[in-house]
Amino acid sequence: MTDIAVTVLPVPDSSGVGGDVWGVGPATRAVEATGARAVELGDETQMIVVGGRVDQAELRRAIDEHPAVSVVQLPSAGVDSYVETMRATRRDGLVFTSAKGAYSAPVAEHALALTLATLRSLPLRARADSWEQEQRGISLNGSRVLIIGAGGIGTELLRLLGVFDVEVTMVVRTPREVPGAVRTITAEGLAEVLPDMDVVVVAAALTDGTAKIVGRAELEAMKPTAVLVNIARGPLVDTDALVAALAAGSIGGAGLDVVDPEPLPDGHPLWDEPLALITPHQANTNAMTEPLFQARVEENIRALADGGQPVGVVDVDAGY
């Protein structure tokens, strides 16, 4: 039991609906499970839990006008849409926490599924309406995999790949070793390693420095048989360059759970690209993430109550 006062946003309207509020239920259950107090936003609020889409101006006011708030829990692993709010409201004693790491397992699982599907030419096979004689497909075993991003999703995918006979290179923000990877590089080394890779997985956070980290030059450097998988954020990949690379057959395929723009408009050339497999940003569905979000909120309520370090603290300057 704890006396921590927690406000969950957004507040549903009189009909019980408040827009995108998938996380309100799990957050409310977390408050109940920890014995914290669910309170309306006010002077006693110590923690704000964002359980769905909120107006950023309203969130800024909620933080600025309530100095007792010391933790703001955000609902997603990627926090690019909250960066301006976090930077505008920073103050001593206030931390922002995200769900980074909480959703790693389902997203990494989806990344593996897209990897296997694109290597095995399933996008093309799924569109077929006759029996093809040409043999297609590449085995993941014995391949070289590049994972751009060594956060929760990237490291979980590295673990899943452990059952395959693969060599994994990890791209990290600052030089460090990642257990299980044959080597780590920074983004400056991409041009050197891309020509050797069979699979390139984008699992990085979207920041000012990582937008279009896979662009025309990177796609041109890849093998014609190599596949690209993006399960992070659409703007990490230059969409126009990807469309051109797929149309030219200069890469072997693409598995995309995220795109830019998103949602991908009807009639966009990616929909008709036989080498592309697109899923509608559902690597982690609500049914998958709700219990994981609840567990994260519970953990951080207890950390606040015990004076400990919350999990998933955001580096506001870095943007993730």
Side-chain angles (χ1 to χ4, degrees):
M1 301 292 289
T2 174
D3 194 45
I4 296 297
V6 181
T7 299
V8 179
L9 299 175
V11 178
D13 59 27
S14 58
S15 66
V17 177
D20 179 7
V21 294
W22 68 268
V24 169
T28 302
R29 292 191 291 274
V31 174
E32 295 171 353
T34 56
R37 290 186 295 120
V39 299
E40 293 184 3
L41 183 65
D43 292 341
E44 63 178 334
T45 301
Q46 297 165 273
M47 179 177 182
I48 293 174
V49 180
V50 180
R53 188 175 293 114
V54 297
D55 180 83
Q56 292 299 300
E58 291 181 10
L59 182 58
R60 291 185 193 188
R61 285 195 297 272
I63 297 168
D64 284 337
E65 296 175 4
H66 300 92
V69 174
S70 59
V71 175
V72 177
Q73 173 71 59
L74 302 176
S76 54
V79 295
D80 41 285
S81 60
Y82 295 95
V83 167
E84 291 185 7
T85 294
M86 291 189 294
R87 291 175 179 169
T89 58
R90 72 169 92 202
R91 62 176 182 244
D92 290 341
L94 173 66
V95 297
F96 291 86
T97 60
S98 72
K100 58 184 175 181
Y103 310 145
S104 298
V107 178
E109 178 183 311
H110 198 77
L112 180 58
L114 290 175
T115 298
L116 290 167
T118 49
L119 283 174
R120 293 288 182 158
S121 298
L122 295 192
L124 190 62
R125 298 298 195 199
R127 293 175 168 93
D129 57 8
S130 64
W131 194 270
E132 186 184 29
Q133 297 300 317
E134 183 176 350
Q135 295 189 11
R136 302 178 186 274
I138 297 172
S139 175
L140 180 56
N141 280 285
S143 67
R144 293 178 175 176
V145 179
L146 178 71
I147 302 176
I148 302 175
I153 295 168
T155 53
E156 176 62 12
L157 178 59
L158 175 62
R159 186 188 72 81
L160 294 179
L161 290 170
V163 301
F164 298 91
D165 180 23
V166 298
E167 291 184 0
V168 180
T169 297
M170 303 288 288
V171 179
V172 296
R173 179 170 175 250
T174 54
R176 63 184 174 92
E177 292 186 4
V178 178
V182 296
R183 61 179 162 178
T184 60
I185 63 169
T186 60
E188 288 72 21
L190 276 174
E192 179 183 350
V193 302
L194 277 170
D196 296 327
M197 296 298 147
D198 300 296
V199 179
V200 177
V201 180
V202 182
L206 177 60
T207 67
D208 293 340
T210 59
K212 295 188 178 179
I213 193 170
V214 177
R216 189 174 304 279
E218 289 73 25
L219 291 163
E220 289 177 350
M222 290 170 60
K223 293 180 181 179
T225 55
V227 301
L228 175 72
V229 172
N230 188 4
I231 43 73
R233 286 290 188 268
L236 290 164
V237 175
D238 184 329
T239 301
D240 291 340
L242 177 60
V243 168
L246 290 168
S250 57
I251 65 171
L256 309 169
D257 187 54
V258 290
V259 289
D260 180 29
E262 192 172 301
L264 194 64
D266 292 349
H268 192 280
L270 276 176
W271 287 121
D272 295 322
E273 174 50 61
L275 298 179
L277 175 60
I278 302 168
T279 56
H281 204 154
Q282 291 188 15
N284 48 0
T285 64
N286 290 355
M288 298 177 197
T289 57
E290 284 185 4
L292 301 173
F293 185 54
Q294 179 177 339
R296 173 57 56 87
V297 175
E298 288 183 24
E299 192 170 8
N300 281 341
I301 290 174
R302 293 190 177 102
L304 180 58
D306 297 338
Q309 177 73 1
V311 179
V313 173
V314 177
D315 182 330
V316 176
D317 290 317
Y320 64 89

